[in-house]
C-alpha cells in the first residue's frame, strides 16, 4: 500500500456512533396505584397482555402528565406487556399467594401493603386519577415545588394527587373565603393544630395570614368542588408536617398531627 493510501486509512474518521441504551424509567406511585387497582379488582390475580383492561391501562399510562415526550416514545414504555408483568408483581407478592414470587422493587411492595391495609381508599385514589385524567384537569395543573419531599419521597397516592391538592390549597379565592368564615364566627385566626396566631406573633404584618389545608384527602372526598368545611387553618410548620410523607405513609390529617404533638416523649424517625 502506498504512503498516500496509508495516510488516508489512518485519518479516515469513524462514521458510526454508539448510542446509549435508554430504559424505561421506574414506575411512579401514580402508575402503581392504577396497576394495583386493576389487580385488586381482578381478585389479586395477574392479567395477560391480551386482556382489554391491560390494553386500556397502557393507553391511560401514556396519557398521564408525568413523563417527557422522549420517554413516552421509548420502545416498550408502559406497553401492554410491561403492564401485564407489573400485575404479576402485584399478584405474586401479595401475602396469601402460594407460589414463587417475582422480583420487584420496594415501591411496588409498599403499594401492595397500602392496598392490603386500606383497599377502599386506594381504589378511590385510582378512580380519582382516572377521572381527573379523562377530564383533562390534571393536564392543566402546574408543577408545585413541594409535590416531592426534600428527600425525594412522595405520597403513596402519587405525585399527581399531591399536585392537585396543593394547587387547590393555594387558590387565593378559596383561602380568602375560609379566612372570612373563621372571622365571621368570632374565632381567632389561629392554627387548628397548635394554636399559633400570626397576628399575635408578628403584629400588623401577620394580621390575616394563615394557610389552608384539606382535612380530608382528595382521594377520599372524590372528584368534587372543595367546600369550606373540607379546609383547616394551619400555620406554616403544621401545614408542612401534615403534607410530609414517609415510605407508605401520607396525608396526615390535622387531628392526627395534633395527637403526635401530645406525645412529646415519643421520638419519630423517617
Amino acid at each position: 500500500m502506498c504512503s498516500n493510501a496509508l495516510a488516508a486509512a489512518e485519518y479516515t474518521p469513524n462514521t458510526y456512533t454508539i448510542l446509549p441504551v435508554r430504559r424505561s424509567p421506574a414506575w411512579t406511585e401514580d402508575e402503581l396505584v392504577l396497576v394495583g387497582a386493576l389487580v385488586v379488582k381482578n381478585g389479586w390475580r395477574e392479567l395477560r397482555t391480551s386482556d382489554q383492561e391491560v390494553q386500556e391501562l397502557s393507553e391511560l399510562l401514556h396519557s398521564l402528565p408525568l413523563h417527557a415526550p422522549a420517554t413516552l416514545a421509548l420502545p416498550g414504555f408502559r406497553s401492554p406487556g410491561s403492564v401485564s408483568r407489573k400485575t404479576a408483581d402485584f399478584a405474586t407478592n401479595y401475602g396469601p399467594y402460594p407460589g414463587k414470587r417475582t422480583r420487584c422493587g420496594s415501591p411496588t411492595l409498599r403499594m401492595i401493603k397500602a392496598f392490603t391495609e386500606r383497599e377502599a381508599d386506594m381504589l378511590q385514589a385510582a378512580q380519582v386519577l382516572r377521572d381527573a385524567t379523562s377530564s383533562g384537569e390534571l393536564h392543566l395543573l402546574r408543577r408545585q415545588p413541594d409535590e416531592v419531599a426534600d428527600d425525594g419521597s412522595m405520597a403513596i397516592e402519587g405525585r399527581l394527587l399531591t399536585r392537585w391538592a396543593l394547587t387547590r390549597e393555594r387558590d387565593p379565592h378559596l383561602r380568602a373565603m375560609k379566612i372570612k368564615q373563621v372571622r365571621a364566627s368570632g374565632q381567632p385566626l389561629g392554627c387548628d393544630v397548635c394554636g399559633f396566631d400570626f397576628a399575635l406573633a408578628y403584629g400588623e404584618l401577620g394580621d390575616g395570614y394563615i394557610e389552608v389545608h384539606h382535612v380530608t384527602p382528595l382521594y377520599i372526598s372524590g372528584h368534587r368542588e372543595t367546600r369550606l368545611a373540607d379546609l383547616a387553618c394551619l400555620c406554616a410548620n403544621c401545614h408542612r408536617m401534615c403534607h410530609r410523607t414517609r415510605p407508605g405513609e401520607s396525608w396526615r390529617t390535622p387531628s392526627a398531627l395534633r395527637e403526635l404533638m401530645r406525645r412529646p416523649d415519643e421520638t419519630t424517625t423517617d
Side-chain angles (χ1 to χ4, degrees), residues 62-161:
H62 276 82
S63 69
L64 293 177
L66 286 171
H67 302 287
T71 300
L72 298 176
L74 289 174
F77 174 77
R78 304 305 183 252
S79 64
S82 68
V83 173
S84 175
R85 288 192 294 274
K86 184 51 66 176
T87 68
D89 288 340
F90 272 82
T92 62
N93 285 278
Y94 176 57
Y97 184 75
K100 184 178 180 180
R101 302 178 186 274
T102 62
R103 295 181 62 182
C104 61
S106 56
T108 300
L109 296 176
R110 286 197 297 268
M111 193 62 67
I112 293 172
K113 184 173 184 291
F115 271 97
T116 302
E117 294 179 348
R118 45 192 182 99
E119 179 180 302
D121 289 349
M122 299 307 297
L123 288 175
Q124 177 65 19
Q127 190 58 52
V128 170
L129 274 173
R130 283 181 173 274
D131 292 344
T133 302
S134 299
S135 68
E137 183 171 356
L138 290 180
H139 293 78
L140 300 177
L141 300 178
R142 293 181 298 177
R143 292 180 180 269
Q144 298 295 313
D146 46 357
E147 64 189 36
V148 178
D150 296 336
D151 61 359
S153 63
M154 65 185 70
I156 191 69
E157 294 81 19
R159 172 183 297 188
L160 295 179
L161 289 184

Side-chain angles (χ1 to χ4, degrees), residues 12-261:
T12 299
N14 187 356
T15 56
Y16 57 86
T17 303
I18 299 176
L19 297 175
V21 177
R22 295 191 62 189
R23 298 180 179 179
S24 294
W27 288 73
T28 67
E29 280 81 353
D30 306 82
E31 295 168 322
L32 292 174
V33 167
L34 293 168
V35 175
L38 197 63
V39 175
V40 170
K41 291 179 180 179
N42 196 46
W44 282 101
R45 297 187 301 271
E46 68 177 290
L47 292 92
R48 303 298 183 184
T49 303
S50 58
D51 288 337
Q52 181 178 352
E53 296 91 339
V54 169
Q55 303 278 338
E56 293 175 349
L57 181 54
S58 174
E59 295 179 5
L60 177 61
L61 294 177
H62 276 82
S63 69
L64 293 177
L66 286 171
H67 302 287
T71 300
L72 298 176
L74 289 174
F77 174 77
R78 304 305 183 252
S79 64
S82 68
V83 173
S84 175
R85 288 192 294 274
K86 184 51 66 176
T87 68
D89 288 340
F90 272 82
T92 62
N93 285 278
Y94 176 57
Y97 184 75
K100 184 178 180 180
R101 302 178 186 274
T102 62
R103 295 181 62 182
C104 61
S106 56
T108 300
L109 296 176
R110 286 197 297 268
M111 193 62 67
I112 293 172
K113 184 173 184 291
F115 271 97
T116 302
E117 294 179 348
R118 45 192 182 99
E119 179 180 302
D121 289 349
M122 299 307 297
L123 288 175
Q124 177 65 19
Q127 190 58 52
V128 170
L129 274 173
R130 283 181 173 274
D131 292 344
T133 302
S134 299
S135 68
E137 183 171 356
L138 290 180
H139 293 78
L140 300 177
L141 300 178
R142 293 181 298 177
R143 292 180 180 269
Q144 298 295 313
D146 46 357
E147 64 189 36
V148 178
D150 296 336
D151 61 359
S153 63
M154 65 185 70
I156 191 69
E157 294 81 19
R159 172 183 297 188
L160 295 179
L161 289 184
T162 300
R163 182 183 300 174
W164 188 17
L166 291 171
T167 300
R168 286 191 176 187
E169 290 178 355
R170 288 162 181 167
D171 180 350
H173 178 67
L174 193 64
R175 176 178 167 275
M177 291 178 61
K178 181 64 178 179
I179 290 175
K180 182 179 179 180
Q181 180 194 53
V182 173
R183 286 185 157 173
S185 68
Q187 299 176 354
L189 189 62
C191 176
D192 290 338
V193 174
C194 70
F196 183 85
D197 188 322
F198 283 89
L200 290 178
Y202 301 106
E204 184 179 351
L205 177 64
D207 186 41
Y209 182 81
I210 200 72
E211 297 183 9
V212 298
H213 174 74
H214 280 88
V215 177
T216 304
L218 290 176
Y219 69 87
I220 294 178
S221 63
H223 193 260
R224 61 172 171 79
E225 291 295 322
T226 300
R227 301 172 299 184
L228 295 182
D230 297 329
L231 302 173
C233 292
L234 299 179
C235 70
N237 285 344
C238 289
H239 195 188
R240 184 77 175 188
M241 290 298 100
C242 279
H243 274 292
R244 192 179 191 203
T245 63
R246 294 185 290 188
E249 179 187 354
S250 58
W251 294 105
R252 202 165 292 101
T253 64
S255 59
L257 185 62
R258 197 178 302 116
E259 286 300 314
L260 286 176
M261 295 184 70

